[in-house]
Amino acid sequence: MNVVVQIRPSEKIVLDQDRLGTLYDQLGEAGADSVVCRAMEELAVRLAHCNMLWQRSHMEHLRKNARSLIAIADQIGMHRLAHVARDVTFCIDNGDDTALAATLSRMMRIGERSLTAIWATQDISP
């Protein structure tokens, strides 16, 4: 008898509340809300773009997009997303397509869950 096991990877998403607090202290509520909203929009667009670039095997552009994710994610306290985006660029640089597929998938999961988490903590209306 064949048994199929489906693995559903899940990681705890932790947002750097200190980083977000610093943004709010420096920019005020309206300014920080604006920065966080723009960053979230940009992350969502870039994550989707990374997936499309992967499907089309555009590694140079995928690497560039992943690198841009790092700075944006760090800016709003999504350090795990930034770390995994660094891992994606490492896989591209090393030509490891198998690791890249797994790491890119992880980046997408963490990115989506991080966006959901920050949306919930910031109580930002769409």
Side-chain angles (χ1 to χ4, degrees), residues 1 10 21 24 26 33-34 42 44 46 49 59-60 73 76-77 84 87 90 97 99 105 108 115 122 124 126:
M1 173 179 352
S10 179
Y24 278 83
Q26 291 174 344
D33 279 347
S34 177
E42 195 62 33
R46 289 180 190 270
H49 196 63
M59 294 303 129
E60 183 179 331
I76 59 172
V84 177
D87 292 343
F90 180 80
D97 293 337
S105 180
M108 299 302 290
L115 288 170
Q122 297 302 304
I124 298 170

Side-chain angles (χ1 to χ4, degrees), residues 54-67:
W54 163 253
Q55 291 173 358
R56 294 183 181 174
S57 298
H58 294 297
M59 294 303 129
E60 183 179 331
H61 295 303
L62 175 56
R63 185 185 191 288
K64 182 178 178 182
N65 251 324
R67 292 285 308 160

Side-chain angles (χ1 to χ4, degrees), residues 2-64:
N2 293 333
V3 177
V4 176
V5 177
Q6 184 175 8
I7 298 173
R8 293 190 181 128
S10 179
E11 293 181 56
K12 183 177 178 182
I13 299 300
V14 179
L15 301 173
D16 183 347
Q17 295 298 325
D18 290 337
R19 178 67 190 125
L20 288 170
T22 300
L23 272 177
Y24 278 83
D25 289 344
Q26 291 174 344
L27 304 175
E29 188 171 343
D33 279 347
S34 177
V35 167
V36 171
C37 283
R38 279 183 285 147
M40 289 172 59
E41 289 172 8
E42 195 62 33
L43 285 171
V45 167
R46 289 180 190 270
L47 284 166
H49 196 63
C50 282
N51 191 43
M52 184 269 302
L53 292 168
W54 163 253
Q55 291 173 358
R56 294 183 181 174
S57 298
H58 294 297
M59 294 303 129
E60 183 179 331
H61 295 303
L62 175 56
R63 185 185 191 288
K64 182 178 178 182

